Amino acid sequence: MNQVVSALFWVSLVLVLTFITLPLVVVMAASLSPTAVVTLRPWEWTVQWYGDLWTARWLDPFMLSAQLALIVSIASGVLGLLAAYVVAYEKCPGHAAIMSFLLSPLAVPQIVKGVAIVLFLSSAGLYNWLGTPGLIAAHIILTLPFAVRMIATAMFNFDKNLDRAGQSLGASKMDRIRYLLLPIIKPGVFSGMTFAFIISFNNIPLSVFLVRPGETTLPITVINYIEYSLDPVLAAVNVASLLFVLGVIFIFEKIGGFSAQIHGGSK
Amino acid sequence: MSVLALKADKRRPHGPSRVQQFLPLFPPSLILLLFFAIPMGMMVGLSFQQSDASGLTLASYERFFSDQFTLMGMARTVVMSGLVAICVTIMAYPVAYFLARSKSRWRALVFALAIAPELAGVVLRTYGWLIILENQGFINNALIWLGVIAEPLPLAKNMFGVVVGLTHVILPFGILSLLTSLQGVDPNLEKSAQILGASRASVIRHIVVPLTVPGIVSSMLLAFTMSASAYATPAILGGAGFKVLATMIYEQVLFYIDWSFAAVMANVLLVMMLIVALIGTRLEARLHQKLHT
């Protein structure tokens, strides 16, 4: 009986893990297959579809998405730092209420936030904002709560005794922020920024309302293309952008060193 | 950072003044107000207006709740999200249990496998399922080649395809939420039950599952709210035949340009989410109480 339960457990574990990896493997195989029919025979594979990516059709949206994600990640980092400083470090009066205000966008589905922003810009006559400026604003609304939460957690964990030690040794407040607080919370700031970058780069539900012809992000370009054709170049785009995201995470990790935080994980 | 500098320079014996203390909050709050709070308020207001009439009216809401098309969309959203909630929780449980209890070297690999898809973005994964499920897709081609079926099975462009895709997208969140719950269960309880002669099955049935009911509930609620508001997966895998609230909202804004009706749909979706979240927190609080008394 126990063996049966154990066997069932292992079988279900393997099945679920197969389910998780299947679409990723299929997309990779599709990106290397010579025709739209996915082949799992590696000797037939070709990288020709990756060569097709070097055209304006894919490069322009990629550049827009990458720039957008970079701006959004930096803005979320700076704004999140400012907000977290007041709420989590200074613990201003009413910090709990302010924190829930800062996190409130999380309670609203993305698609609803998207509609609200596009209706607001249109009825306020801010048509120029549709396109890149609107995308930046909308993505910041989406990513800021995550950044605030991650940076605030890092600040909550900051040992105030260090601050007192610095103070007793005569360090000014600015010095203590610069040489004590910021270096210690750096991993938290960078994990928030990395998160913001990934969310912005992959976003669909907000971007879909704000893109314009000539100013379309990569995921939206891919979705629009899927409606017409399923040729392997799409798979190549997807794999390439996944590799790009992994590269960005690697770079952010090198600068910010947040993996220690994730593995060491405070609760 | 100049704001912080300004604050530090004017140190006073009795600490910084109130206004100065709040100064760094100004930029993030302004952005939230301008691009979140005001637009949300405006959207709610817009749902009570009609372009051809002045004053407030419930006309758009009446239209929503009397229109077969929108009601069907709402029903589809609820059924789809419910199915995804069940599938995610059932599939996430064994993985979370393994991650919570295993000390083997495979643990890191399983953890990476479970969480890594989140980096790939929704488009890649949904596209992958489209290749697998469509009429000339992986599964149908294989089954036809094997001679099991003559005609392709309708696996994509319907509820089945969307539920499969959404389950895949949301599964990592389900795993993480069950993992926290399972880590809270003392493994010694299971060991002592086994020493006292309980079978594996009864340990799972009478100890593990009852103690993780709060985790199961929160995983289901998370999966429900995430799928009810998902846009990309229903749009790609559902096609024209399977419209849910999220894809209908998009069409109202960009094709029919009916802002008031779009605002109504968005509000209905939002209220639905809030109700589910409210029921969820109540239920979780009650379950916690029950477990800890």
Side-chain angles (χ1 to χ4, degrees):
Chain A
M1 181 62 196
N2 279 356
Q3 272 88 0
V4 176
V5 175
S6 280
L8 270 176
F9 172 73
W10 291 110
V11 168
S12 62
L13 185 66
V14 169
L15 281 178
V16 173
L17 291 175
T18 313
F19 175 82
I20 291 176
T21 36
L22 184 66
L24 307 178
V25 172
V26 166
V27 172
M28 288 196 196
S31 76
L32 296 166
S33 299
T35 61
V37 180
V38 181
T39 169
L40 291 176
R41 288 182 283 264
W43 57 90
E44 289 176 4
W45 282 354
T46 147
V47 290
Q48 56 163 327
W49 302 108
Y50 288 90
D52 290 359
L53 298 181
W54 301 100
T55 53
R57 154 178 261 162
W58 300 113
L59 279 181
D60 289 353
F62 167 76
M63 287 309 285
L64 179 74
S65 280
Q67 285 165 357
L68 179 66
L70 190 64
I71 294 172
V72 167
S73 122
I74 292 170
S76 302
V78 172
L79 294 169
L81 205 51
L82 290 175
Y85 175 79
V86 178
V87 174
Y89 181 80
E90 297 251 316
K91 294 222 174 64
C92 65
H95 60 88
I98 296 173
M99 191 68 171
S100 15
F101 168 67
L102 292 167
L103 299 184
S104 61
L106 289 178
V108 177
Q110 286 192 43
I111 191 109
V112 176
K113 280 183 276 209
V115 180
I117 291 175
V118 78
L119 293 186
F120 167 69
L121 294 178
S122 311
S123 28
L126 298 167
Y127 295 106
N128 290 338
W129 276 71
L130 299 170
T132 314
L135 282 169
I136 294 174
H139 283 202
I140 290 177
I141 294 299
L142 177 66
T143 57
L144 185 58
F146 294 107
V148 169
R149 195 152 66 179
M150 287 181 181
I151 300 172
T153 312
M155 288 207 190
F156 276 127
N157 291 337
F158 173 75
D159 187 355
K160 280 278 173 90
N161 285 329
L162 291 173
D163 219 20
R164 289 187 197 108
Q167 200 169 14
S168 68
L169 292 169
S172 73
K173 183 148 201 179
M174 200 55 216
D175 281 344
R176 277 178 280 137
I177 290 173
R178 196 155 159 225
Y179 296 110
L180 282 174
L181 181 66
L182 287 182
I184 288 177
I185 62 159
K186 195 170 115 185
V189 178
F190 272 87
S191 58
M193 286 174 66
T194 313
F195 211 65
F197 191 99
I198 301 171
I199 295 179
S200 166
F201 189 78
N202 288 333
N203 184 269
I204 299 165
L206 286 173
S207 304
V208 84
F209 291 107
L210 292 157
V211 294
R212 292 199 296 199
E215 283 178 67
T216 311
T217 63
L218 192 58
I220 305 293
T221 313
V222 173
I223 297 202
N224 291 339
Y225 198 87
I226 289 180
E227 311 225 329
Y228 298 107
S229 137
L230 279 179
D231 69 48
V233 73
L234 274 175
V237 173
N238 277 311
V239 174
S241 63
L242 173 61
L243 293 177
F244 172 74
V245 168
L246 292 176
V248 168
I249 296 173
F250 180 76
I251 293 169
F252 274 54
E253 208 285 322
K254 277 278 166 252
I255 308 172
F258 49 77
S259 66
Q261 195 193 20
I262 296 169
H263 294 306
S266 49
K267 278 180 197 166
Chain B
M1 292 316 284
S2 62
V3 183
L4 295 181
L6 205 143
K7 241 177 91 123
D9 290 340
K10 296 185 184 168
R11 265 186 306 159
R12 289 179 195 174
H14 300 294
S17 77
R18 277 284 159 83
V19 181
Q20 271 182 15
Q21 199 184 358
F22 285 105
L23 217 50
L25 264 182
F26 185 66
S29 309
L30 184 71
I31 285 188
L32 276 187
L33 204 65
L34 207 56
F35 296 108
F36 176 67
I38 295 176
M40 288 300 291
M42 227 168 135
M43 190 189 72
V44 173
L46 209 59
S47 70
F48 294 104
Q49 280 167 13
Q50 284 276 284
S51 49
D52 49 348
S54 60
L56 299 179
T57 155
L58 282 170
S60 294
Y61 285 91
E62 274 165 31
R63 192 178 139 206
F64 181 94
F65 287 106
S66 57
D67 190 336
Q68 202 70 33
F69 183 69
T70 49
L71 286 179
M72 270 302 289
M74 199 164 118
R76 271 190 218 113
T77 310
V78 173
V79 174
M80 170 193 82
S81 310
L83 286 174
V84 173
I86 295 168
C87 294
V88 163
T89 309
I90 291 177
M91 291 176 74
Y93 208 96
V95 182
Y97 188 80
F98 175 81
L99 290 174
R101 293 286 177 268
S102 165
K103 288 185 185 73
S104 80
R105 60 207 163 93
W106 296 102
R107 190 185 178 278
L109 179 72
V110 173
F111 192 76
L113 274 180
I115 307 305
E118 232 22 70
L119 301 174
V122 175
V123 182
L124 187 154
R125 294 186 274 164
T126 309
Y127 173 68
W129 282 114
L130 194 59
I131 306 180
I132 297 169
L133 298 174
E134 60 159 347
N135 282 352
Q136 278 91 43
F138 223 61
I139 294 183
N140 275 320
N141 277 353
L143 289 178
I144 290 172
W145 185 76
L146 289 171
V148 180
I149 49 169
E151 292 290 303
L153 296 170
L155 300 173
K157 304 289 172 195
N158 55 22
M159 170 92 80
F160 176 81
V162 179
V163 170
V164 168
L166 278 175
T167 301
H168 188 261
V169 170
I170 298 167
L171 198 55
F173 297 95
I175 292 174
L176 286 179
S177 116
L178 284 171
L179 178 58
T180 343
S181 176
L182 278 161
Q183 278 170 338
V185 177
D186 189 349
N188 288 329
L189 282 176
E190 292 163 50
K191 277 188 204 134
S192 37
Q194 265 173 332
I195 290 168
L196 293 171
S199 69
R200 272 281 170 79
S202 68
V203 169
I204 292 173
R205 227 186 105 200
H206 297 292
I207 295 176
V208 184
V209 171
L211 284 175
T212 50
V213 165
I216 294 173
V217 170
S218 72
S219 146
M220 288 187 71
L221 289 166
L222 184 72
F224 188 95
T225 46
M226 283 184 77
S227 25
S229 51
Y231 167 77
T233 311
I236 298 172
L237 283 168
F242 189 79
K243 294 265 172 262
V244 290
L245 278 181
T247 47
M248 284 160 68
I249 291 172
Y250 169 77
E251 285 183 344
Q252 285 300 328
V253 175
L254 281 124
F255 297 143
Y256 304 114
I257 320 193
D258 189 340
W259 293 351
S260 170
F261 205 43
V264 169
M265 288 182 177
N267 282 340
V268 170
L269 183 61
L270 183 61
V271 169
M272 220 164 90
M273 300 289 95
L274 293 178
I275 292 173
V276 173
L278 199 71
I279 296 174
T281 38
R282 283 276 170 83
L283 202 61
E284 274 170 49
R286 199 189 287 174
L287 288 169
H288 260 285
Q289 238 175 6
K290 223 174 158 184
L291 276 183
H292 294 283
T293 46

